[in-house]
Amino acid sequence: MHRLAALVLPLVLGTSSQAATYDPDLTWRTIVTDHFRIHFHQGEEQLADEFSRTVEEVYDTMTEELRWMPRRRTHVVLIDRTDAANGFAGSVPYNAITIFVTGPDESSQLADYEDWFTGIQTHEFTHTLHIDTNHGVARAARWVVGRISSTNRLSPAWVVEGLATFEETGHTNGGRGRTPVVDMILRTAALEDDIPPLGRMDGFQAQPPSGAIRYLFGQDFIQHVADHHGPEVWTRFVHTYGSSVPYLLPGRFVLGGPFHVLHREWAADLRTDAWATVDRIELDGPISEATLLSSPLDSCRAPAFSPTGDRLVWSCYSPRFGNQIWSANPDGSEPEKLIQDRGASRISFRSDGKAFAYAGTHVVNRFNTWSDLYLYDLESEKVTALTRGARARDPDFSADGQRLFMVTNAVQNNQIEVSTVDRSRRALTDFTDHT
């Protein structure tokens, strides 16, 4: 059962600084369910209704899993201000979750999901229950300092994010714990003897996968411990640490051994599995050596060869120089920076090989971070905007170069559109099922 209510205040969602980042022209409404207040803006009516019908199932699953029920309803904000899939949770001054309704694209580590709302709500509500769990010293302190008192809030980041990623994998049909690209990242680290030591599991480093370490390696370590010490071991850990003194992690008491020993065992198993995979592959022949074209500190994507095969273009994010688009010979030699301060999620060459289209995000109307399409002319070295505020991505030129196909996004619905040389656009689909 749920009911619809109007919001009296402009935004009683999260902190004032977060509220200030939302477009003031948005009109907000609220659906109240048994355990949640779901805040949504115009255009999201279908999404909010669907979310309200599944969110209580997540509540039942996760409160049973972690054996904790918040005393008050949790606020959930559904916002369509970005073309990137994400979400976050907070617990002060009250439990609140924000979900960016756009689903992940195929290049995202989040791409393995069946239902985006179920996956992201499972992850974020795990944070809510984890941080909210309090007993003993932590509960007594709440009478003095309020909700800011939470020992679990002071858990290592790999525990906080690793546990949420572990639960999103265990209680949905997707999750990063079963994503092939994540397997690749873990396997590569093992083969290159670069598994993060326990002190680096929080991912505070410039070198990729940097901040993703706490999610990906944290989840795999937590899964390893659960496999060896029972499925409820992390629930016991949450309740034990939630009643203890901060920073005294109860690894030996709950898990049967100190964390550094468990980490060493997990790393050894990761290496064994990785080399076993190599052995299986080499049964079909030797593995070819790869050549690294970019800096080891850069995160790169969207490689594309020109139609004639004489040029390779790709996009990188550098911790030092920001977003850049590069070009090189097909073998990667003589790299040349084409564009500074612009990144691309996908690149498509025009049939004549003299220009390419790419998708990149930018701020629109101060409050939105949306994706648009651009054309780079290799002869004039100029960038031309092909769309403005269209939320367009995945450009793909027709064989004759006269039409440009794209995917547009709004309130979790993706449409295929086509644009002609005069930049007029025509929708080819009208999906409303979040395809």
Side-chain angles (χ1 to χ4, degrees):
M1 295 295 292
H2 63 264
R3 65 182 187 272
L4 184 64
L7 277 179
V8 177
L9 297 178
L11 205 59
V12 291
L13 322 170
T15 66
S16 59
S17 61
Q18 292 167 357
T21 65
Y22 297 153
D23 191 334
D25 289 335
L26 295 176
T27 301
W28 293 88
R29 290 189 287 172
T30 299
I31 293 176
V32 181
T33 70
D34 290 344
H35 301 101
F36 297 92
R37 293 183 180 273
I38 303 166
H39 309 291
F40 64 99
H41 57 76
Q42 68 267 35
E44 294 184 323
E45 292 81 2
Q46 178 188 344
L47 282 178
D49 181 66
E50 293 170 354
F51 185 76
S52 69
R53 299 176 190 278
T54 62
V55 69
E56 291 293 341
E57 296 176 8
V58 174
Y59 179 92
D60 292 341
T61 298
M62 295 315 305
T63 53
E64 180 180 358
E65 169 81 5
L66 295 178
R67 299 202 300 270
W68 184 260
M69 291 184 290
R71 294 176 59 191
R72 298 181 178 87
R73 287 185 175 91
T74 299
H75 292 261
V76 181
V77 182
L78 305 181
I79 182 72
D80 193 27
R81 61 179 291 270
T82 176
D83 285 327
N86 211 335
F88 57 89
S91 59
V92 177
Y94 44 76
N95 292 329
I97 294 169
T98 297
I99 295 176
F100 301 151
V101 302
T102 294
D105 64 29
E106 68 277 2
S107 65
S108 171
Q109 294 171 1
L110 299 164
D112 191 354
Y113 69 96
E114 182 177 51
D115 177 76
W116 171 236
F117 272 164
T118 301
I120 189 65
Q121 177 66 6
T122 300
H123 183 101
E124 301 304 339
F125 193 54
T126 296
H127 287 324
T128 296
L129 298 177
H130 180 197
I131 304 305
D132 196 55
T133 301
N134 64 93
H135 306 281
V137 174
R139 180 172 297 179
R142 285 199 170 192
W143 288 97
V144 180
V145 300
R147 291 182 53 81
I148 197 172
S149 172
S150 170
T151 311
N152 280 321
R153 186 197 309 279
L154 302 175
S155 301
W158 67 262
V159 173
V160 175
E161 296 298 350
L163 178 64
T165 308
F166 168 76
E167 299 294 356
E168 96 192 18
T169 303
H171 292 287
T172 72
N173 292 326
R176 279 164 281 190
R178 55 171 61 93
T179 303
V181 68
V182 174
D183 289 342
M184 176 193 68
I185 292 171
L186 297 171
R187 184 168 57 249
T188 300
L191 296 175
E192 295 181 351
D193 198 24
D194 194 28
I195 297 173
L198 196 60
R200 257 198 316 125
M201 286 280 282
D202 282 357
F204 295 116
Q205 63 179 51
Q207 184 173 350
S210 55
I213 289 175
R214 64 184 72 115
Y215 297 84
L216 312 184
F217 290 82
Q219 184 278 331
D220 201 72
F221 180 36
I222 284 174
Q223 181 68 64
H224 171 88
V225 173
D227 289 343
H228 288 78
H229 296 274
E232 295 188 354
V233 65
W234 287 104
T235 298
R236 295 198 304 271
F237 180 91
V238 167
H239 283 268
T240 303
Y241 191 50
S243 63
S244 66
V245 178
Y247 304 114
L248 296 180
L249 297 176
R252 189 185 301 273
F253 178 72
V254 177
L255 309 179
F259 272 115
H260 70 274
V261 173
L262 298 170
H263 179 277
R264 186 165 59 244
E265 295 170 351
W266 162 70
D269 284 355
L270 203 58
R271 294 187 188 95
T272 298
D273 291 345
W275 284 109
T277 299
V278 171
D279 291 340
R280 288 196 301 271
I281 294 173
E282 288 186 330
L283 291 176
D284 296 325
I287 298 175
S288 59
E289 293 292 329
T291 300
L292 183 64
L293 303 183
S294 60
S295 165
L297 294 180
D298 292 353
S299 296
C300 301
R301 63 192 306 192
F305 283 102
S306 64
T308 56
D310 63 347
R311 185 185 292 266
L312 173 65
V313 177
W314 70 93
S315 175
C316 282
Y317 172 77
S318 164
R320 183 176 179 184
F321 300 110
N323 284 309
Q324 300 171 325
I325 296 179
W326 289 79
S327 173
N329 293 326
D331 61 357
S333 63
E334 300 182 14
E336 172 192 9
K337 182 177 64 177
L338 299 180
I339 313 173
Q340 175 65 43
D341 298 327
R342 290 179 181 264
S345 60
R346 182 166 178 172
I347 294 172
S348 175
F349 269 93
R350 200 169 60 195
S351 56
D352 60 9
K354 296 180 179 180
F356 60 83
Y358 67 93
T361 58
H362 64 127
V363 176
V364 178
N365 296 334
R366 296 191 298 167
F367 298 100
N368 307 300
T369 305
W370 288 346
S371 176
D372 271 304
L373 302 188
Y374 302 87
L375 184 75
Y376 181 79
D377 189 298
L378 290 162
E379 294 181 346
S380 66
E381 300 182 354
K382 291 184 178 180
V383 175
T384 302
L386 299 178
T387 63
R388 297 185 184 275
R391 308 186 68 176
R393 69 177 193 275
D394 297 341
D396 192 10
F397 275 108
S398 61
D400 60 7
Q402 298 301 303
R403 293 172 296 166
L404 180 64
F405 294 87
M406 68 191 77
V407 176
T408 58
N409 166 58
V411 289
Q412 212 177 102
N413 290 316
N414 294 298
Q415 312 298 343
I416 300 175
E417 296 190 19
V418 61
S419 174
T420 52
V421 291
D422 62 357
R423 299 186 196 172
S424 62
R425 291 164 41 208
R426 178 169 57 92
L428 303 179
T429 61
D430 186 23
F431 296 123
T432 58
D433 60 354
H434 320 312
T435 300

